[in-house]
Amino acid sequence: MQKLGDLMNKRVTLKDIAHATGVHVSTVSRALDPKRDTPLTDDVVLRIRQAAEKLGYRPNRIASSLRTQRTMTIGVMIPDITNMIFPPIVRGIESVMEPLGYASIIVNTDSQRGREQRLVEILQDRGVDGIIHTAVLLEDPTIERAAGAGLPVVTLNRRIEGTHIPYIINDEAAGISAVFNLLYDLGHRHIAHLAGPQLLSTGQLRLNAFRAAAADRRLDTKAMTIVEAAQFHETDGRRSASEILLRAPETTAILCANDRLALGAIDHCRKVGLNCPTDISITGFNDMPLLELIPPRLTTVRIQQFEAGAAAARLMAAILAGQGEDVPVETILPVLLVERDSVAAPRSARVTGR
Amino acid sequence: MQKLGDLMNKRVTLKDIAHATGVHVSTVSRALDPKRDTPLTDDVVLRIRQAAEKLGYRPNRIASSLRTQRTMTIGVMIPDITNMIFPPIVRGIESVMEPLGYASIIVNTDSQRGREQRLVEILQDRGVDGIIHTAVLLEDPTIERAAGAGLPVVTLNRRIEGTHIPYIINDEAAGISAVFNLLYDLGHRHIAHLAGPQLLSTGQLRLNAFRAAAADRRLDTKAMTIVEAAQFHETDGRRSASEILLRAPETTAILCANDRLALGAIDHCRKVGLNCPTDISITGFNDMPLLELIPPRLTTVRIQQFEAGAAAARLMAAILAGQGEDVPVETILPVLLVERDSVAAPRSARVTGR
DNA sequence: GAAAATCACGCAATCGATTGCATGAACGCT
DNA sequence: AGCGTTCATGCAATCGATTGCGTGATTTTC
């Protein structure tokens, strides 16, 4: 049984309902507006509602958007959805925005500046009501300009200096500090850092946190081995681990800026005959899925992806609801140290200490 | 240096350009339309183009959509973006649609019928020009109705009987057959199937393919052990593997409907003292990322996620371009057997055969 | 050189919903 | 009874781009 409105295969509009009920379209519009302020007779409202129901009316969002200048759509910019850390963020955003009637247009920037710029324009052309931007590139003026032009923006993972753009960040410094101290307390003194790309915010943030953690323990940060990977990828993990071992054979622990680098590092160590964790301790960051299936199970730091997305979306929702004044500029989410099997006391500590 | 148009913080419209150049808006519209058919003086076109450039004109897609009934947006329905097989599909779609000027609204159905129905309506309300649907549920009337109402639809992973909805599928039967024959040729005769949920299309498809492959080798399919997992998840893999070993201790190989089930099965076997592959061979399906880092490296079937998305998008693009007649209803993508370390000859074959 | 054809552009309606203002009716008040 | 309110609804403009049709001007044709 088809709905009546389907018969002529044409969308039912306010005008059709107006026709059917004998009132003016404006009256229909008001009757169907849930938060209407104009007074209407209950009888009329009821008749209109029933007619709308019967005809299978569905409001035309396009027309509405044109008039109201709101699309009930937000743009979500991420580097690459195939990177496993982003899907949970996307779902976190969705979990908040969808119930509010917002849809998301997700775009992948591939961390390319030009592409990012183009995508911001595309989103603006489509009239998104706001943009949630999981930033990775440092120094990226595009999104700042959009925000400056009055478009609501919330960033994830990066603070944009000199603006009041609200941002959500995970407490990466605390995470790095936690793993560093774990290693230090086990007796490690030759801790190397396999750093992420320094033109990405997370890469830089974690390197700084590493230096700070080392300084906290009164280690000579200048003497510490730090090798920067070109990408957050196993291949670079392997390459950089190799360089670390070459430059500092005394290294007993490698603190990696991310899980994939750590996996690469473990793999390289295995290849050169170093067992993890008995010969060398290696730590990751992010706690990506499936990690506990890969031996040695990586000790790492879990960050709240879903919650970060949800938090960003909540801020965005508040701004879009006109409560932009009340949203905090900074939101820091706690991280969790996940201790597994890739860390052990260094040989030296085992010999002397036990 | 700001663009001139930014100064008054208001979007530049055709009318503004018309004002600036002293022509009518309709002329501006035509001058800016790349595929215009109405003849215009080169001089006028040039002046309008320059003015548009200078004022920083960006067409209002909303207004355009209202008039033309095209939003240049498609809906992409997937079960769950956090499931690692979907992001590549999404990027495949994007790789084709974005250059054509289309944006995608991605929604997660969580394989729930009610939610799916709601999402189709949401997408229709937003006036998407078409829907690419990575189907998983069998018997799902919602999308068929949408297609019946004239909305262009392309499905991935499932054929909808009795319609002409184009679909892309991976050659799953060939994949199952390939692993089955690999096992058989090594000497396995007691091959169990750890099947996926039978209310999902892939679960059903692969089970049928398993039966067919067994029949091809003249095995008694009725006697074969087949256990259905409730979900495509490690936990169910463990549970079902346990059941298989209980019901048929003579089993020498488990052909799993997907990688995650296989990982669970391997884990369970290890726990009960069975080494893979020396005691039991286990195979997966999908070849998900990171698999080669998890020992024993799983022998599995690689399916072309990105390419499947791209192929679906190409069909959609063709339909949207009005060449709906020319698109093939069925597209089958080849799969690739990936031989790694989780398969070996059964003990019996090793004893008697070598 | 006049009629006809072509050309370049303007006019105005249209897409569907929203909303400030106008209007007519019902009502209350003195 | 007469006048001012209040109330429920209608009217028409508006959002910005698109497009069929019309019109005046120019060119072509015999």
Side-chain angles (χ1 to χ4, degrees):
Chain A
M1 180 69 175
Q2 297 270 314
K3 267 180 284 183
L4 294 176
D6 289 356
L7 290 179
M8 48 185 188
N9 197 25
K10 196 179 168 305
R11 283 188 66 146
V12 180
T13 70
L14 288 188
K15 197 193 283 184
D16 298 324
I17 301 179
H19 239 95
T21 53
V23 298
H24 196 262
V25 288
S26 61
T27 307
V28 179
S29 173
R30 287 190 257 260
L32 262 29
D33 182 358
K35 56 170 193 353
R36 110 191 79 99
D37 48 350
T38 14
L40 290 185
T41 319
D42 289 348
D43 168 56
V44 174
V45 173
L46 187 66
R47 269 170 45 222
I48 291 175
R49 290 259 167 86
Q50 286 178 341
E53 176 82 14
K54 183 175 150 203
L55 296 175
Y57 172 73
R58 307 243 76 200
N60 184 326
R61 278 177 173 281
I62 308 289
S64 174
S65 293
L66 179 57
R67 179 65 225 244
T68 63
Q69 306 286 0
R70 306 194 80 205
T71 53
M72 297 301 279
T73 305
I74 61 163
V76 176
M77 302 184 67
I78 58 180
D80 180 9
I81 191 72
T82 62
N83 183 332
M84 298 191 307
I85 72 169
F86 293 111
I89 293 179
V90 168
R91 297 237 40 184
I93 294 173
E94 183 192 47
S95 75
V96 171
M97 298 310 276
E98 202 219 279
L100 296 175
Y102 284 87
S104 311
I105 296 181
I106 299 162
V107 295
N108 300 93
T109 67
D110 286 324
S111 299
Q112 292 168 14
R113 195 152 310 177
R115 189 165 157 73
E116 180 148 336
Q117 185 157 353
R118 236 170 28 78
L119 290 172
V120 170
E121 283 183 357
I122 288 177
L123 291 176
Q124 286 187 296
D125 286 353
R126 289 180 174 276
V128 295
D129 295 337
I131 291 182
I132 294 180
H133 187 260
T134 63
V136 285
L137 284 175
L138 291 172
E139 306 274 331
D140 161 29
T142 317
I143 195 72
E144 306 178 38
R145 247 188 321 213
L151 187 69
V153 171
V154 173
T155 62
L156 245 157
N157 291 342
R158 189 173 54 121
R159 169 177 180 187
I160 300 182
E161 314 279 344
T163 69
H164 287 179
I165 300 178
Y167 58 94
I168 316 278
I169 50 177
N170 296 98
D171 198 349
E172 313 226 330
I176 293 287
S177 168
V179 278
F180 190 94
N181 290 338
L182 174 71
L183 293 168
Y184 186 93
D185 294 343
L186 280 169
H188 289 278
R189 292 298 177 271
H190 298 289
I191 305 175
H193 182 42
L194 206 170
Q198 292 302 298
L199 87 192
L200 300 189
S201 56
T202 46
Q204 205 177 78
L205 226 65
R206 292 171 191 176
L207 171 55
N208 291 340
F210 175 81
R211 289 215 174 92
D216 271 358
R217 294 314 194 122
R218 315 233 171 279
L219 293 182
D220 179 6
T221 59
K222 304 232 162 132
M224 306 197 75
T225 313
I226 293 172
V227 172
E228 176 186 346
Q231 287 185 54
F232 277 123
H233 193 274
E234 287 83 22
T235 310
D236 285 281
R238 276 186 270 261
R239 189 182 359 238
S240 304
S242 152
E243 192 178 333
I244 287 175
L245 295 177
L246 227 62
R247 272 168 47 182
E250 73 277 16
T251 300
T252 61
I254 304 179
L255 191 159
C256 302
N258 124 329
D259 292 333
R260 304 192 65 173
L261 292 176
L263 291 177
I266 290 176
D267 197 50
H268 173 78
C269 288
R270 182 170 26 229
K271 283 208 186 87
V272 299
L274 288 175
N275 182 50
C276 171
T278 52
D279 297 322
I280 190 162
S281 292
I282 296 181
T283 66
F285 210 101
N286 280 1
D287 192 29
M288 66 186 203
L290 297 178
L291 219 46
E292 36 203 340
L293 295 172
I294 308 175
R297 295 161 55 245
L298 198 62
T299 289
T300 186
V301 173
R302 178 175 303 161
I303 63 183
Q304 301 186 53
Q305 319 282 18
F306 184 94
E307 178 54 26
R314 268 183 242 115
L315 294 192
M316 179 55 74
I319 295 172
L320 294 178
Q323 299 150 358
E325 316 305 319
D326 310 344
V327 313
V329 171
E330 176 176 87
T331 305
I332 302 185
L333 298 174
V335 299
L336 179 71
L337 176 65
V338 181
E339 292 190 54
R340 287 196 279 243
D341 313 330
S342 67
V343 166
R347 288 202 183 285
S348 56
R350 271 173 284 172
V351 171
T352 62
R354 293 183 187 174
Chain B
M1 181 67 176
Q2 298 271 313
K3 268 183 281 181
L4 293 177
D6 289 355
L7 291 179
M8 48 186 190
N9 197 26
K10 198 181 169 303
R11 283 188 65 146
V12 178
T13 70
L14 288 188
K15 196 193 285 184
D16 297 324
I17 302 179
H19 239 94
T21 53
V23 298
H24 196 263
V25 289
S26 62
T27 307
V28 179
S29 174
R30 286 189 258 259
L32 261 30
D33 182 357
K35 57 168 193 355
R36 108 191 81 98
D37 48 349
T38 14
L40 291 184
T41 319
D42 289 347
D43 168 54
V44 173
V45 173
L46 186 66
R47 267 170 46 222
I48 292 176
R49 291 260 167 87
Q50 285 177 340
E53 176 82 15
K54 183 174 150 202
L55 296 174
Y57 172 74
R58 307 243 74 199
N60 183 328
R61 277 177 174 283
I62 308 289
S64 172
S65 293
L66 178 59
R67 177 66 224 248
T68 61
Q69 308 287 358
R70 305 194 83 204
T71 54
M72 298 300 278
T73 304
I74 62 163
V76 176
M77 302 183 67
I78 58 178
D80 180 10
I81 191 73
T82 62
N83 183 330
M84 298 189 308
I85 70 169
F86 294 111
I89 293 179
V90 168
R91 297 236 41 182
I93 294 173
E94 182 192 46
S95 75
V96 171
M97 298 310 277
E98 203 220 278
L100 296 174
Y102 284 87
S104 311
I105 296 182
I106 299 163
V107 294
N108 299 94
T109 67
D110 286 324
S111 298
Q112 292 168 16
R113 196 154 309 179
R115 190 166 156 71
E116 180 147 338
Q117 187 156 351
R118 236 169 26 77
L119 290 172
V120 170
E121 284 182 356
I122 287 176
L123 291 176
Q124 286 187 296
D125 286 353
R126 289 182 174 276
V128 294
D129 295 338
I131 291 182
I132 293 180
H133 187 261
T134 63
V136 285
L137 284 174
L138 291 172
E139 305 276 331
D140 161 29
T142 317
I143 196 73
E144 306 178 37
R145 248 189 320 213
L151 187 68
V153 171
V154 173
T155 63
L156 243 158
N157 291 342
R158 188 172 54 118
R159 170 178 178 185
I160 299 181
E161 314 279 343
T163 68
H164 286 180
I165 300 178
Y167 58 93
I168 315 279
I169 51 176
N170 295 98
D171 198 348
E172 313 226 331
I176 294 287
S177 167
V179 277
F180 190 95
N181 289 338
L182 174 70
L183 293 168
Y184 186 94
D185 293 343
L186 280 169
H188 291 277
R189 291 300 177 270
H190 298 288
I191 304 176
H193 181 42
L194 205 170
Q198 291 303 297
L199 86 192
L200 299 190
S201 56
T202 45
Q204 205 176 79
L205 224 66
R206 292 171 192 177
L207 170 55
N208 291 341
F210 175 80
R211 289 215 175 92
D216 270 358
R217 294 313 195 120
R218 314 235 172 278
L219 293 182
D220 179 6
T221 60
K222 303 231 162 131
M224 306 196 75
T225 313
I226 294 172
V227 171
E228 176 186 345
Q231 288 184 54
F232 278 124
H233 193 273
E234 286 85 21
T235 311
D236 284 281
R238 277 187 270 259
R239 190 185 355 245
S240 305
S242 154
E243 193 179 333
I244 287 174
L245 295 177
L246 227 62
R247 273 167 47 183
E250 73 277 15
T251 300
T252 61
I254 304 180
L255 190 159
C256 303
N258 120 333
D259 293 332
R260 303 192 65 173
L261 292 176
L263 291 177
I266 289 177
D267 197 50
H268 173 79
C269 289
R270 181 168 28 225
K271 283 209 184 86
V272 300
L274 288 175
N275 181 50
C276 171
T278 53
D279 298 321
I280 189 163
S281 292
I282 295 180
T283 67
F285 209 102
N286 278 3
D287 192 30
M288 66 187 203
L290 297 179
L291 220 47
E292 36 202 342
L293 294 173
I294 308 176
R297 293 159 59 244
L298 198 63
T299 289
T300 186
V301 174
R302 177 175 304 162
I303 63 184
Q304 302 186 54
Q305 317 284 19
F306 184 95
E307 178 53 27
R314 268 182 242 114
L315 294 192
M316 179 56 74
I319 295 173
L320 293 177
Q323 301 149 357
E325 316 305 319
D326 310 342
V327 312
V329 170
E330 177 176 85
T331 305
I332 302 184
L333 298 174
V335 299
L336 180 69
L337 177 65
V338 181
E339 294 191 55
R340 287 198 276 245
D341 312 330
S342 67
V343 165
R347 287 201 182 285
S348 57
R350 271 173 283 173
V351 172
T352 61
R354 295 185 186 176

